[in-house]
Amino acid sequence: SLRSFRLYIAAVAVLFFLLFSFAGYMTAEWYKASDAVLAYSSLNGKSRICLPDSTFVWLNAGSTLEYFVSRWTKERNVRLDGEAYFEVAKERERPFWVDFREGTVRVLGTQFNVKAYGGEEAVATLVHGKVEVARGQEAVVLQPGEQCRIAAGEAHALIVGKADLVSTLAWKNGEFVFKDASFCLLYTSPSPRDG
């Protein structure tokens, strides 16, 4: 009877072990399935996209944006290589982060531009609202009409200055901006044959 009881306990222990192992495996697979990365590219020209959280993004030519979707995090994270203009949907309980090679932008407001092509100086420009730009331990909060420049490479200086919003957003608005440019108007007189 003692031997039967031991066999019964061993069988129950093995059954519980198998049950918990299976439950752990299924939970891990469910966690993996709930995370996804949505990738957007604008290789030949400007494109406008709407992210799953209702944030609108304009991608400039040659830009790539990755949006990380997870039901387990309270943040909205994107990774940018190139230039993009963001109109972030407000969700106070879910902050919006833009990561790029030179730093990070934490969104405290709604509309801003980030130019971060690989190997070049990164520039974050705030149009409306409030954003925090960070690199390493350094961080600055931008006000509307300001921009922060981050040098490529090892320099950690965040340089804040006044932004030229017209020039910065010209690509998004389909405009060309010329400053201190000379124009030459060519006029040809009609030939005698034309009268």
Side-chain angles (χ1 to χ4, degrees):
S1 153
L2 182 60
R3 184 175 179 186
S4 301
F5 180 72
R6 286 183 182 164
L7 286 174
Y8 174 76
I9 294 295
V12 169
V14 167
L15 182 63
F16 272 112
F17 175 76
L18 291 173
L19 182 64
F20 283 118
S21 296
F22 179 73
Y25 172 77
M26 292 305 292
T27 302
E29 290 300 311
W30 189 60
Y31 271 100
K32 281 191 233 172
S34 67
D35 294 339
V37 177
L38 303 176
Y40 305 93
S41 292
S42 181
L43 300 176
N44 295 326
K46 179 178 66 176
S47 61
R48 179 177 178 241
I49 56 176
C50 182
L51 299 178
D53 69 338
S54 298
T55 292
F56 285 98
V57 181
W58 284 257
L59 282 178
N60 203 350
S63 302
T64 302
L65 183 79
E66 293 177 331
Y67 181 79
F68 299 92
V69 182
S70 174
R71 64 177 77 162
W72 307 110
T73 182
K74 292 190 175 183
E75 297 177 349
R76 297 171 288 166
N77 296 301
V78 297
R79 182 180 301 135
L80 173 67
D81 181 20
E83 184 171 16
Y85 177 82
F86 296 86
E87 288 184 0
V88 178
K90 290 186 180 180
E91 290 186 33
R92 290 193 181 276
E93 65 281 356
R94 293 179 65 213
F96 193 93
W97 294 84
V98 180
D99 293 319
F100 49 96
R101 183 187 307 246
E102 306 301 336
T104 303
V105 173
R106 181 169 66 104
V107 179
L108 308 170
T110 55
Q111 298 177 17
F112 61 100
N113 191 78
V114 176
K115 183 178 179 183
Y117 289 100
E120 295 180 11
E121 173 185 65
V123 181
T125 306
L126 181 61
V127 178
H128 294 291
K130 196 192 272 189
V131 297
E132 179 185 79
V133 181
R135 180 172 182 176
Q137 300 299 320
E138 295 180 79
V140 294
V141 175
L142 298 181
Q143 300 301 321
E146 290 184 333
Q147 69 180 189
C148 179
R149 296 182 171 277
I150 308 169
E154 298 300 318
H156 286 262
L158 301 176
I159 302 167
V160 177
K162 187 166 172 43
D164 179 355
L165 295 179
V166 173
S167 295
T168 300
L169 301 179
W171 71 269
K172 176 201 167 267
N173 299 327
E175 300 171 347
F176 293 98
V177 176
F178 299 97
K179 289 189 175 184
D180 299 324
S182 299
F183 284 96
C184 179
L185 181 61
L186 296 176
Y187 174 77
T188 57
S189 61
S191 68
R193 284 183 269 158
D194 296 336

